[in-house]
Amino acid sequence: MAVVGGGVIGLSVAWAAARAGFSVSVHDLGSPHAGSRVAGGMLAPVAEAWHGEETVTAQGVEALSRWPDFAAALGVELFNKGTITVGTSPGDLADLRRIVGLFNNSEVELLNNRAIRQLEPSLGPAVRGGMFVPGDLAVDNRQLLSALRKACVEAGVTFDSTVDGRVVVIAAGAWSGSLHPALKDVIRPVKGEILRLSWRPGTLPPPTHTIRGSVSGRSVYLVPRKDGVVVGATQYEAGFDTDVTVAGVRDLLRDAETVLPGIAEYALTEAAVGFRAGSPDNVPVVRWLEPGVIAATGHHRNGLLLAPHTAALVVELLKGGSS
Ligand SMILES: Cc1cc2nc3c(=O)[nH]c(=O)nc-3n(C[C@H](O)[C@H](O)[C@H](O)COP(=O)(O)OP(=O)(O)OC[C@H]3O[C@@H](n4cnc5c(N)ncnc54)[C@H](O)[C@@H]3O)c2cc1C
């Protein structure tokens, strides 16, 4: 079989299929704007939960349960201190109370201002309270991609420039819409800008938790890395526009600094644009499109999180035949 797309979805599918006994090749155009390359790395279905997206949340929770084994098999380290979601206005705190209501107490805890600062002492004065999700995870997405490529090679996957296989899996993220008529009006690019900041000697250490915040109605997140943080992300319907805009960088830095003032002393090492693969209901498209062609795309904001879940689904489809 041939997998078109070598992002986290294509590689996870290829690795799982090779381990299930299929002969697999992967074809990738090497876009620097692949979502998998620029992503923040949150594995956070609970902190990302929202009313009306119950299917997305349920899939995410299922996928999260696969991550400890998935990461261990790849030799990838997980950040397991959980997510803190902070609010800076009474409206934000009301939103958080609504999210807490969707889950039980072991999954999510509402915290007052004092309690949240005990977890993350360097939060800024504008933070008024928040919620703690102890079970959320995070991963360094670039470390993950390297580990997946290595695992694929070890499992016998080849990396080819021509697509040749009895079955083709379309896993080309935001670009999938141009690869099959059934995906044409279904998958669209959703642009996102994201920043990478590095710790410098003498500055505060990176946060120990993933921190999400709402500032002036905009959401921002800071995902810890060993040497700094990833700050994301804007979200626009702008087609395949690859420019990093002044307004995008300004808003991300201002909002991140409001949540965690210490990052002002960090080095800004990268500003990048990536594309999420949007679908009409934000639910991924993982199914046979026609005999011999499977789609594994449309993972929008959650492709890293959902990768082991989607890979298992595609192997089930392959074993069941092209129904
Ligand atoms: C700013 C940003 C932050 C994000 N943060 C998170 C996060 O914290 N957690 C999370 O779970 N998700 C996050 N996401 C979403 C996640 O990155 C995507 O859902 C995921 O990367 C999708 O993976 P993919 O393999 O489907 O697509 P991609 O990673 O986009 O990969 C598609 C690949 O297909 C290749 N390709 C395209 N056209 C062709 C072709 N014709 N032939 C061959 N190859 C082709 C490209 O070169 C590319 O490598 C984020 C996304 C963005 C943009």
Side-chain angles (χ1 to χ4, degrees):
M1 60 175 268
V3 179
V4 180
V8 68
I9 297 296
L11 292 174
S12 300
V13 165
W15 184 45
R19 292 206 300 173
F22 293 90
S23 159
V24 187
S25 60
V26 172
H27 313 268
D28 188 70
L29 289 185
S31 170
H33 303 290
S36 310
R37 194 184 158 274
V38 305
M42 291 177 297
L43 310 172
V46 175
E48 285 249 331
W50 199 243
H51 285 284
E53 290 198 344
E54 284 76 10
T55 307
V56 175
T57 305
Q59 282 183 349
V61 169
E62 202 282 333
L64 185 68
S65 69
R66 293 178 184 265
W67 261 93
D69 287 347
F70 185 64
L74 288 167
V76 166
E77 195 183 343
L78 291 175
F79 295 81
N80 60 3
K81 292 278 193 289
T83 305
I84 293 177
T85 303
V86 302
T88 56
S89 73
D92 298 336
L93 298 181
D95 282 345
L96 292 183
R97 274 193 290 276
R98 275 195 288 277
I99 296 176
V100 170
L102 296 173
F103 296 94
N104 64 45
N105 292 343
S106 63
E107 290 171 309
V108 185
E109 197 183 342
L110 205 59
L111 297 180
N112 64 23
N113 209 352
R114 198 160 140 246
I116 209 151
R117 283 166 205 284
Q118 275 168 355
L119 280 180
E120 200 63 71
S122 45
L123 291 171
V127 171
R128 293 175 171 215
M131 130 189 141
F132 178 42
V133 186
D136 277 355
L137 300 169
V139 67
D140 181 327
N141 52 310
R142 293 180 182 172
Q143 196 195 15
L144 172 68
L145 285 173
S146 304
L148 274 169
R149 275 187 219 109
K150 183 166 168 275
C152 279
V153 170
E154 284 168 3
V157 174
T158 57
F159 288 81
D160 296 337
S161 54
T162 51
V163 180
D164 183 14
R166 279 197 300 161
V167 174
V168 174
V169 179
I170 300 177
W175 295 269
S176 304
S178 62
L179 296 182
H180 194 280
L183 298 175
K184 183 172 174 285
D185 296 319
V186 176
I187 300 301
R188 67 182 200 285
V190 180
K191 177 182 175 182
E193 291 154 322
I194 196 160
L195 310 174
R196 281 173 160 77
L197 314 185
S198 295
W199 177 87
R200 296 190 305 143
T203 63
L204 282 176
T208 47
H209 306 81
T210 295
I211 303 175
R212 300 179 60 92
S214 172
V215 181
S216 311
R218 287 183 301 270
S219 63
V220 64
Y221 57 74
L222 299 96
V223 192
R225 291 289 192 269
K226 282 202 168 132
D227 61 347
V229 285
V230 180
V231 175
T234 60
Q235 185 165 321
Y236 309 107
E237 298 289 341
F240 283 106
D241 172 17
T242 57
D243 287 337
V244 178
T245 64
V246 173
V249 175
R250 179 199 63 210
D251 287 349
L252 287 172
L253 287 179
R254 188 176 55 199
D255 297 346
E257 210 183 330
T258 302
V259 171
L260 207 70
I263 57 136
E265 303 298 327
Y266 281 31
L268 172 58
T269 45
E270 185 182 326
V273 165
F275 298 106
R276 309 168 183 93
S279 72
D281 54 4
N282 292 344
V283 177
V285 181
V286 184
R287 62 177 174 85
W288 287 103
L289 297 178
E290 62 175 275
V293 184
I294 291 175
T297 184
H299 293 78
H300 201 228
R301 299 191 312 264
N302 292 308
L304 297 175
L305 169 65
L306 294 173
H309 177 76
T310 291
L313 282 179
V314 171
V315 170
E316 270 177 38
L317 291 175
L318 288 166
K319 286 181 173 166
S322 59
S323 54

